[in-house]
Amino acid sequence: MTDVRVRFAPSPTGALHIGGVRTALYNYLFAKKHQGTFILRIEDTDQTRYVEGAEQYIAEALHWIGFEPEESPLKGGNYGPYRQSERKDIYKQYADQLIELGHAYYAFDTPDELDTLRKQDPEFKYGVKTRNSLKNSLSLSPDEVQRLLAQGEHITVRLKIPADEIIEFTDHIRGHVSFDSNELDDKVILKGDGMPTYHLANIVDDHLMKISHVIRGEEWLSSTPHHVIMYRSFGWQAPEFAHLPLILKPTGQGKLSKRDGAKFGFPVFPLSWIAENEEDSFIGFREDGYLPEALGNFLALLGWSPGDDEEILDIETMIPRFSLDKIVKSGARFDIDKALWFNQQYIIKADNHRLASLISKQVATLGYQADAAYLSEVCRLMKERVHRTHEIVSKGMFFFSAPTTYDDATIIKKYKAENKQHLLNIADQLMTADQASIESAVKGYVQDNQLKLGEFMPIIRIAISGNMQGPDLIESMALLGGKESAQRIKTAVDHFEKVIHA
Ligand code: GLU
């Protein structure tokens, strides 16, 4: 294979949708598999759609999830600039070249005129069948063309699609693809303001940046015949193409949209995006307690399968196994439960200190003080019980503050008034117990007095955490410390007495 150079080419029009992250991932995996280069190119020629902060968001999202581009606007590289707005001057000469070669032409139709035509016929296409009756340099006399060019209003350059041809190419995912050229439209390649459209800028840059494979979303498949024609017109070798399947809504019906996050109650963006109004603000996977490697694993398998049943694959494991021909053609259903499952698996594997640093802000915001060593112990005890990192705190709240409510139903079932004094004795023993002697202070006491562990452990658990859920009780008490555990038992006994005498 020639040198593999692939690019992720988002437009900075807002937060990067999860589908875009998957496109970046597949490009990254493909590049790594073939010792190639992964490039980030920012396609910002459409200034009307430019959104402040979107480019930074894209860079941060790629950094967070760990797909660092080797060439990018921030890093530079031998084929820069990597921001299309900084390449403006390059494109016009290529549009001129296509005109000279007879593969593009000037069009002078006003937006109003085109609107009227589209209203009359919603299927209207500026192309092989219609261009001769429209206002352009192919239909008008040379004098008229010169006059309109001199006037300088509403001048666009359009690609001249050849008549009566089948435009074909092979797609790595879809196989053989063909289009009838008479059905294609003469796309605008240069706008009135001299700025290129996506089509021109995209293929000029792919050519100049020596892109070998274009791996992008399915929505660009219908633009590809135009691109193939442009490559041919310039006499350039076209890159290879791979069009990725759509990501579908959880119901399997229709494309997953940015609003589906709010609708179904899960994130569809890698990082949170804060806009002026709430409707356009979105929570990210990062802020919702997902680990980047879990999201990467989940997204990789959303449309690609390594060919066996193995599911837990970190990036390094995926790289050698990745291939474009194992990507499915049909849409991939977005299943948040699967994402949660992956996240759980990666949280269990994660280093406790790392988890601790991820939850430290949440703990501080709640007003609790806990040092890193304590937090990392909380993470060790809680990690098997959560799907998202913030649940370590919300489900392990008793590690930060004594319970204020208790599971009364269980108290009524399990608490016996005759055990009150024993519980207080256990609390007394705990007052002086250190970490290592917590177990003997509790279990030793119960056994020495010929009592039943089954009667004491659930009740002590409720005293410590308020309910029956939670990690190993003795370990939890050891972390809380003997004094704190003793205090909680004493407070709880008062409550237990009230409940059974109520
Ligand atoms: N700028 C296009 C986008 O926003 C790039 C499509 C492509 O990869 O060619 O997705």
Side-chain angles (χ1 to χ4, degrees), residues 135-301:
K135 255 165 77 183
N136 55 59
S137 58
L138 301 175
S139 63
L140 302 171
S141 71
D143 285 352
E144 181 66 357
V145 171
Q146 284 315 316
R147 192 183 68 78
L148 291 170
L149 283 177
Q151 208 174 52
E153 274 167 33
H154 305 298
I155 307 172
T156 58
V157 177
R158 284 182 182 267
L159 177 67
K160 186 180 172 198
I161 298 283
D164 307 324
E165 264 196 55
I166 300 297
I167 309 296
E168 328 180 72
F169 54 92
T170 304
D171 185 277
H172 276 275
I173 296 163
R174 278 145 211 284
H176 177 256
V177 186
S178 64
F179 290 84
D180 175 353
S181 71
N182 294 343
E183 299 302 324
L184 301 176
D185 56 340
D186 289 353
K187 293 232 182 280
V188 172
I189 57 173
L190 202 74
K191 292 180 283 186
D193 58 4
M195 284 291 265
T197 59
Y198 154 74
H199 304 286
L200 180 67
N202 186 268
I203 72 125
V204 165
D205 285 348
D206 281 350
H207 172 71
L208 296 178
M209 295 181 179
K210 295 205 168 56
I211 299 302
S212 61
H213 295 74
V214 165
I215 304 169
R216 63 183 168 200
E218 184 182 273
E219 64 272 31
W220 302 104
L221 186 66
S222 60
S223 298
T224 309
H226 301 87
H227 298 180
V228 168
I229 290 170
M230 282 197 268
Y231 281 109
R232 189 177 80 184
S233 305
F234 280 119
W236 297 340
Q237 157 112 38
E240 294 181 35
F241 294 102
H243 286 91
L244 306 173
L246 291 177
I247 298 183
L248 304 176
K249 290 184 198 298
T251 54
Q253 311 282 285
K255 186 179 162 185
L256 182 73
S257 82
K258 60 180 184 179
R259 306 254 172 241
D260 286 339
K263 187 162 156 210
F264 294 103
F266 54 69
V268 291
F269 293 96
L271 317 177
S272 288
W273 174 262
I274 315 295
E276 266 168 30
N277 53 336
E278 206 181 313
E279 205 184 303
D280 293 320
S281 302
F282 305 100
I283 187 164
F285 277 92
R286 179 177 65 182
E287 290 75 8
D288 201 21
Y290 287 79
L291 297 180
E293 60 271 35
L295 181 61
N297 196 155
F298 166 67
L299 286 181
L301 298 186

Side-chain angles (χ1 to χ4, degrees), residues 7-13 20 23 27 41-44 49 84 198 202-203 206 214-217 219-220 227 243:
R7 84 304 192 269
F8 175 49
S11 298
T13 54
T23 300
N27 274 283
R41 184 174 73 222
I42 297 293
E43 301 210 326
D44 58 349
R49 298 186 62 220
Q84 287 187 328
Y198 154 74
N202 186 268
I203 72 125
D206 281 350
V214 165
I215 304 169
R216 63 183 168 200
E219 64 272 31
W220 302 104
H227 298 180
H243 286 91

Side-chain angles (χ1 to χ4, degrees), residues 353-453:
H353 293 98
R354 174 180 170 214
L355 293 175
S357 69
L358 291 174
I359 60 164
S360 63
K361 204 170 149 201
Q362 184 189 0
V363 172
T365 309
L366 288 167
Y368 302 122
Q369 270 163 15
D371 63 19
Y374 185 86
L375 285 185
S376 108
E377 276 301 283
V378 173
C379 292
R380 179 176 73 79
L381 292 174
M382 288 302 296
K383 65 202 241 182
E384 305 235 354
R385 313 184 155 265
V386 302
H387 288 91
R388 291 169 295 177
T389 52
H390 53 78
E391 294 167 7
I392 294 175
V393 181
S394 59
K395 292 189 171 174
M397 201 54 99
F398 72 95
F399 284 115
F400 305 103
S401 65
T404 49
T405 56
Y406 298 92
D407 171 0
D408 286 350
T410 306
I411 295 167
I412 291 166
K413 257 192 263 155
K414 301 256 176 189
Y415 180 72
K416 291 188 178 152
E418 70 251 35
N419 288 339
K420 176 181 171 187
Q421 193 51 48
H422 290 306
L423 284 166
L424 294 175
N425 293 347
I426 291 172
D428 281 343
Q429 294 219 26
L430 283 168
M431 280 306 280
T432 54
D434 61 10
Q435 275 214 335
S437 56
I438 298 268
E439 179 154 20
S440 59
V442 178
K443 292 189 179 167
Y445 178 93
V446 172
Q447 277 149 7
D448 291 349
N449 290 281
Q450 272 109 45
L451 302 166
K452 290 192 191 116
L453 273 178

